[in-house]
Amino acid sequence: MAIDAAARLGPAPSIEVHDLSVAYPDGHVALSEVTLRLDAGRICGLVGPNGSGKSTLFKAIMGFVRPVRGEVRIGGQDVRAAQKANAVAYVPQSEEVDWTFPVSVRDVVMMGRQGRMGFLRRPSPADRAVVGQSLDRVGMAAFGERQIGELSGGQRKRVFLARALAQEAGIILLDEPFTGVDQTTEEEIIGLLRGLREAGHLLLVSTHDLAAVPDFCDDVVLLSGTVIAAGPTADAFTPANLARAFGRPPPGLASLAAPKDVPGTLREVPRSARLAETAC
Amino acid sequence: MFEAALDPFAYEYMRNAMLGAGTVGALCALLSCFVVLKGWSLLGDALSHAVVPGVAVAAIFGLPLVAGAAVAAVLAVAGIAFVERGTSLKNDAVLGVVFTTFFAAGLLLVSLYPTHLRITTIMFGNLLGIADSDLWQVYGVGLLCLVVIGTMWRDLLAYAFDPLHARSIGLNTRVLHALLLGLLSLACVTALQTVGALLVVAMLIAPGATAYLLTDRFGCMLVIAPLIGGVGAVAGAYASFFLDGAVGGCIVLLQTATFLLAWLFAPKHGLLNRLGFRRPAGAGKRAAARAGA
């Protein structure tokens, strides 16, 4: 199914960000002079401290905020045209919607198909099949008829992921998909992302789980108001660059790899050891 | 005894009142599904007051009241957007300032330039004296709402649930937003003539709130709410004949009674069920989710 999706992607998915600056109405500059190029068949990790502009970069790529300068092109098209062609899917943090809405899990995933439906938006058998497969791929097949408020935090993330899968977009942006999920779920999501990469998708994933980055990211963009470093993980995700992005010298990689808002866990230790190998 | 029950149908003004009330009730109820879910209750109340100056100006110049009301609604919504952008005030404060200003201007206009339109009509409606032309206008607006929501409810729902996602799949959320506001304004004007500006908001909220308690499916809400709103409005007009009391009051109180019944007895979200009188598996989880979220 993923292969079919890739075949439907059309021209190779790519994101080009050129000299992008975003400021909020109060004058606060969230991003300045960001230039990036991301290509198909890659998982790119977006890393930076809180307030470094990760979410703002997502919003600018999706056209939710208007940049003061610069432009974003998706697959060579402007953002709006790319969205109308369903070229890009966005997985927001799950706190951003009202979970008391009278809609079922299946209804929400079906909304991912909606841009592809005809005038009356009546789901076709093909739409239903894709929604079923998407639910299956995130392990939520048994929850299709549940009202969405009846789900746990991790399950809500999976539903949003399934909605993005159902959209069959060449590019998928994921805003902190690992926050508040257990390790099993994180590993399942990473497995899913790898599958999508093999099928030719371009994935941009923001995360605070630095230890996992070398594990699944082909490329890394280090952000702190602007691009600190970008490129293949081995080149960009170095202790020196991390220190520049997080604004403090690395007092040993272990503490850098375990961000303060995530309580240190046992698994952080071997992971950060691996990080040291990759990064040096 | 039975013949007495048919009495209201013997009078043309009562037949018109019941038809008009039923249509307005059903059409407001259809929109109430979106109002309740979007958290637009205050906006509904505000819009119902903001259309008044438009109605007044239209009456002065002999234009269709709907046209005047629509212009006033657009100006009011633009006014809110303008004030919101220029200050860091919360949305409800901005709504309060802008819409009361509009309502005040409307009252002033009506008192300065007397027309066939009276202030009491604006405040309390005039269902029993509804003219044929007004009735046709009500049918027209009702049909328009039915067609638009019937064809576009999935997009409107996607927009109401997650506006950013709706945009990201290529939907034009600005048009959807404007469409909802436009329909809401039209519903306000028609409801203004039937139950009056003071009670419009009840018709724009109660049926949707009741339907929300009765089902977990938006599609079902869109059927249940108009049934409740329409039947309640007809029954209210009918009851007012015997009580010889205010029609608007009867309609709204009946809708409130329906809401209370649903609140008590709803299969899943009802009070009795939640208190443990009947508890099928999974009951009350939405309430828990609401409390937790």
Side-chain angles (χ1 to χ4, degrees), chain B residues 150-237:
Chain B
T151 52
M152 308 215 30
W153 70 273
R154 284 175 203 271
D155 280 4
L156 291 169
L157 173 64
Y159 163 68
F161 175 61
D162 190 346
L164 291 186
H165 179 260
R167 208 180 130 90
S168 77
I169 57 172
L171 305 188
N172 192 334
T173 46
R174 270 187 208 172
V175 167
L176 292 172
H177 182 84
L179 199 60
L180 263 187
L181 280 182
L183 292 181
L184 202 55
S185 311
L186 283 177
C188 281
V189 191
T190 55
L192 199 68
Q193 294 167 319
T194 47
V195 294
L198 294 181
L199 292 177
V200 168
V201 68
M203 299 184 85
L204 279 173
I205 297 170
T210 309
Y212 176 80
L213 293 177
L214 292 174
T215 176
D216 274 347
R217 291 289 181 276
F218 187 74
C220 298
M221 253 181 100
L222 282 182
V223 176
I224 296 174
L227 276 176
I228 292 173
V231 172
V234 173

Side-chain angles (χ1 to χ4, degrees), chain A residues 62-64 80 83 88 97-98 100-104 111 114-115 120-121 145 147-150 163 167, chain B residues 37 151 154-155 158 160-162 164-165 167-171 212 216-218 221 268 285-286 289-290:
Chain A
M62 296 305 292
F64 300 154
R80 201 61 198 133
Q83 287 172 340
V88 51
V97 304
D98 176 3
T100 66
F101 247 68
V103 287
S104 69
M111 285 179 195
Q114 206 155 312
L120 284 178
R121 309 290 193 206
E145 308 316 317
Q147 193 271 332
I148 51 169
E150 297 170 6
R163 181 176 70 174
Q167 196 181 338
Chain B
L37 292 177
T151 52
R154 284 175 203 271
D155 280 4
F161 175 61
D162 190 346
L164 291 186
H165 179 260
R167 208 180 130 90
S168 77
I169 57 172
L171 305 188
Y212 176 80
D216 274 347
R217 291 289 181 276
F218 187 74
M221 253 181 100
K268 197 165 159 191
K285 278 200 188 149
R286 190 162 81 180
R290 200 176 303 147

Side-chain angles (χ1 to χ4, degrees), chain B residues 266-279:
Chain B
K268 197 165 159 191
H269 308 296
L271 203 57
L272 289 184
N273 183 40
R274 275 201 253 161
L275 291 176
F277 287 92
R278 287 167 295 151
R279 185 175 283 277

Side-chain angles (χ1 to χ4, degrees), chain B residues 88-262:
Chain B
S88 53
L89 279 171
K90 292 208 168 53
N91 175 268
D92 61 337
V94 177
L95 279 179
V97 170
V98 173
F99 284 104
T100 45
T101 306
F102 272 68
F103 188 60
L107 287 186
L108 192 62
L109 279 171
V110 172
S111 61
L112 290 181
Y113 304 98
T115 59
H116 63 92
L117 199 67
R118 296 182 189 286
I119 289 198
T120 51
T121 309
I122 293 177
M123 304 287 269
F124 305 109
N126 184 20
L127 190 59
L128 298 181
I130 195 166
D132 274 352
S133 59
D134 290 339
L135 209 52
W136 283 111
Q137 194 173 293
V138 167
Y139 296 151
V141 173
L143 190 67
L144 182 72
C145 283
L146 196 64
V147 169
V148 171
I149 292 181
T151 52
M152 308 215 30
W153 70 273
R154 284 175 203 271
D155 280 4
L156 291 169
L157 173 64
Y159 163 68
F161 175 61
D162 190 346
L164 291 186
H165 179 260
R167 208 180 130 90
S168 77
I169 57 172
L171 305 188
N172 192 334
T173 46
R174 270 187 208 172
V175 167
L176 292 172
H177 182 84
L179 199 60
L180 263 187
L181 280 182
L183 292 181
L184 202 55
S185 311
L186 283 177
C188 281
V189 191
T190 55
L192 199 68
Q193 294 167 319
T194 47
V195 294
L198 294 181
L199 292 177
V200 168
V201 68
M203 299 184 85
L204 279 173
I205 297 170
T210 309
Y212 176 80
L213 293 177
L214 292 174
T215 176
D216 274 347
R217 291 289 181 276
F218 187 74
C220 298
M221 253 181 100
L222 282 182
V223 176
I224 296 174
L227 276 176
I228 292 173
V231 172
V234 173
Y238 177 82
S240 77
F241 178 85
F242 295 100
L243 293 172
D244 202 14
V247 189
C250 288
I251 292 175
V252 173
L253 283 180
L254 260 179
Q255 290 187 345
T256 310
T258 320
F259 173 79
L260 288 176
L261 284 177

